[in-house]
Amino acid sequence: MKVGDKHYRSIWFDQASGEVQIIDQRWLPHEFRVVDLKTREDFEVAIRDMWVRGAPLIGATAAYGFAVQMALDPCDLSIEETWHILHETRPTAINLKWALDEMRGLLEPLPIDQRADAAMKRAHEIADEDVECNRMIGVHGLEIIKEIAAKKKPGEVINILTHCNAGWLATVDWGTATSPMYHADQAGIPIHVWVDETRPRNQGALLTSWEMNSHDIPHHLIVDNAGGHLMQHGQVDLVIVGTDRTTAHGDVCNKIGTYLKALAAHDNGVPFYVALPSPTIDWTVKDGVKEIPIEERTDTEVTHVQGKLADGTVTEVQISPDGTPGGNPAFDVTPRRLITGLITERGVCEASPQGLAKLFPERAG
Ligand code: MRU
C-alpha cells in the first residue's frame, strides 16, 4: 500500500542489493526505517522482537529466512535447524508453522544444489499468494459493507471498528481486516474507522492509524475501553478484526482484547466479522480456548509505553510504580458463537466446522 506516493509491501526482495528488506515496524509511525535481513539470525530477531509482526507477515518473513539460510547452507541439518529456530520465535500465529512446513516439505526431497533457488522461488510465491488472498478478502468483505450500506440512507457513513493492526503492515499487502475498508473506500462507499489503540503495544495507535492516515480514510483513534460505549450508542455498524489462528471449528485467536469487543458486539447486535487468509486456519485444533498456546510477553510492554517527545525523540517511559509487576498475555480466543462470519479468500462463511468445510473441502477432516 502507500507510503507517501510510493507503493510498498511490508517485505520484499531488493534486486539492486540482492537482500531481503523489511520495514522495521518498531519505529512507526514516527520514523520510517527499512532494514536488510541477511542471515537466519537477522530473521529470527526480526520476528521475535517484532520488527515485523502480524500473522501473515510472520509467515512470509519465515519463508524468506529459510531461503536466505538455504543460500548460505543448504544441508539437511540446516533445514531442520532453521525450522526449529524460526518456529521458536512466536508461538501463537499459525502462519509461522504453515510457512515453515511448506519450506521444509519442498526442500527436503530436493538435491542440495537446487535448494537455494527453489527456496527463494517459494518464498516469493508465499508473499504473492498472501497479497492475492488479502485482495480477495477485500472483494468479499466489500459485499458485506455494501449490504450494510444498503440498509442506511444514501451517502450515510458506515462506522467500522477494528482492533490491533490487521492492516497491510501485518500482511505482505492490503491487510486482512483493512482490505474490505480499502475496497469500500475505492468503491466510493463512505466509511469511518474506529481504531482501538490496542494496549500494551499499541499496534492500533501506532500502525493502523498510520495506515488510515496514509490512505486518507476517515478514522478516530479510541482507547480500548471505548468500543462498548460506542456500540451502545449506535456508532458502530460492524466490527472487522484479523486473527492469528482460527480453529477448524471456527474459534478465533487474535490480539488480546478482541474477545471483549466480540462480547460487546454480541450484546449490542453489532455484526462481528473476522478476516483471514486460509494459512491462518489450524485444521488440527478444535477448541481454541483449550488448545491454542497464548504468547506471554515481557511485562515491560505493560509497565512502559513508547512515544515521541516534543523535540521529536522517540523514547519509552515507565507508567507504573517501581516494583509493580505486569502480566502480559498477548492474545485471547473469541469463541465462534460470538462471530457473525469469517471472511476468507474463497468467500464468507459461518464460523463453524461446516462453514469452513464448505469453503475448504480439501482441508476439512
Ligand atoms: O502481536 P502482533 O502485533 O503480531 O499481533 C497481530 C494481530 O493480532 C493481528 O490482528 C493478527 O496477526 C492478524 S494480522 C492480519
Side-chain angles (χ1 to χ4, degrees):
M1 302 297 285
K2 280 192 328 188
V3 180
D5 284 337
K6 196 169 163 192
H7 176 264
Y8 274 89
R9 284 185 174 188
S10 56
I11 189 165
W12 63 94
F13 180 79
D14 181 57
Q15 297 291 351
S17 63
E19 307 288 358
V20 175
Q21 297 187 322
I22 56 157
I23 300 166
D24 184 346
Q25 300 187 22
R26 293 172 304 161
W27 304 98
L28 289 174
H30 308 301
E31 290 174 29
F32 184 76
R33 294 192 191 180
V34 169
V35 295
D36 294 346
L37 301 180
K38 299 180 181 196
T39 63
R40 180 174 67 197
E41 197 186 8
D42 290 347
F43 284 84
E44 183 190 350
V45 170
I47 299 172
R48 192 191 55 226
D49 295 348
M50 293 177 69
W51 305 18
V52 291
R53 21 70 50 205
L57 177 57
I58 292 170
T61 307
Y64 277 115
F66 229 118
V68 164
Q69 175 63 16
M70 286 302 100
L72 296 170
D73 179 3
C75 75
D76 287 355
L77 182 63
S78 169
I79 293 178
E80 212 40 42
E81 280 177 356
T82 302
W83 192 99
H84 286 284
I85 287 169
L86 294 178
H87 189 247
E88 288 297 295
T89 51
R90 294 202 67 192
T92 301
I94 196 65
N95 305 57
L96 175 61
K97 179 174 182 295
W98 174 85
L100 293 172
D101 285 347
E102 283 283 309
M103 298 304 280
R104 183 169 62 179
L106 169 79
L107 297 168
E108 263 175 356
L110 289 180
I112 287 193
D113 64 345
Q114 290 178 19
R115 286 176 177 169
D117 286 350
M120 189 51 88
K121 182 167 170 281
R122 185 68 190 120
H124 290 323
E125 283 168 5
I126 285 175
D128 289 346
E129 285 163 16
D130 183 60
V131 177
E132 181 55 15
C133 280
N134 298 329
R135 190 186 69 78
M136 286 309 296
I137 285 169
V139 169
H140 298 304
L142 172 60
E143 294 307 311
I144 293 167
I145 297 176
K146 276 186 182 163
E147 245 175 64
I148 291 170
K151 290 184 197 139
K152 293 199 135 198
K153 295 194 196 101
E156 227 177 316
V157 173
I158 312 292
N159 286 297
I160 305 171
L161 184 142
T162 192
H163 190 66
C164 194
N165 173 260
W168 70 268
L169 290 165
T171 65
V172 179
D173 208 349
W174 284 108
T176 57
T178 54
S179 187
M181 301 174 197
Y182 292 127
H183 278 79
D185 185 60
Q186 287 170 6
I189 299 172
I191 61 163
H192 165 266
V193 182
W194 296 114
V195 180
D196 280 355
E197 63 178 345
T198 320
R199 277 283 286 149
R201 285 187 69 96
N202 289 323
Q203 288 94 329
L206 303 173
L207 306 176
T208 308
S209 306
W210 184 70
E211 288 191 22
M212 295 289 123
N213 258 335
S214 305
H215 288 81
D216 293 325
I217 304 229
H219 63 285
H220 281 89
L221 175 64
I222 53 173
V223 296
D224 291 323
N225 295 328
H229 164 80
L230 293 171
M231 291 181 204
Q232 282 177 326
H233 290 271
Q235 293 182 65
V236 182
D237 294 300
L238 83 156
V239 179
I240 314 179
V241 296
T243 163
D244 290 83
R245 197 186 295 216
T246 302
T247 72
H249 282 196
D251 294 341
V252 162
C253 182
N254 191 47
K255 183 52 57 193
I256 193 80
T258 303
Y259 171 49
L260 292 177
K261 291 299 137 74
L263 283 172
H266 194 255
D267 195 42
N268 290 282
V270 173
F272 185 95
Y273 284 93
V274 181
L276 60 133
S278 53
T280 308
I281 304 167
D282 185 343
W283 297 97
T284 68
V285 164
K286 295 187 175 87
D287 183 327
V289 175
K290 287 198 184 128
E291 297 175 68
I292 296 178
I294 300 295
E295 180 177 4
E296 268 296 325
R297 294 189 62 85
T298 167
D299 73 344
T300 55
E301 290 184 351
V302 178
T303 57
H304 292 63
V305 288
Q306 181 182 294
K308 186 171 75 169
L309 299 177
D311 69 2
T313 316
V314 177
T315 190
E316 197 173 78
V317 292
Q318 182 180 320
I319 58 169
S320 54
D322 291 343
T324 291
N328 192 8
F331 298 94
D332 62 24
V333 172
T334 299
R336 64 192 166 103
R337 67 188 162 79
L338 300 175
I339 299 168
T340 310
L342 303 174
I343 312 172
T344 77
E345 72 271 22
R346 292 196 188 168
V348 181
C349 71
E350 192 181 80
S352 68
Q354 299 78 10
L356 281 167
K358 230 185 253 177
L359 287 185
F360 300 95
E362 77 283 12
R363 295 304 313 274

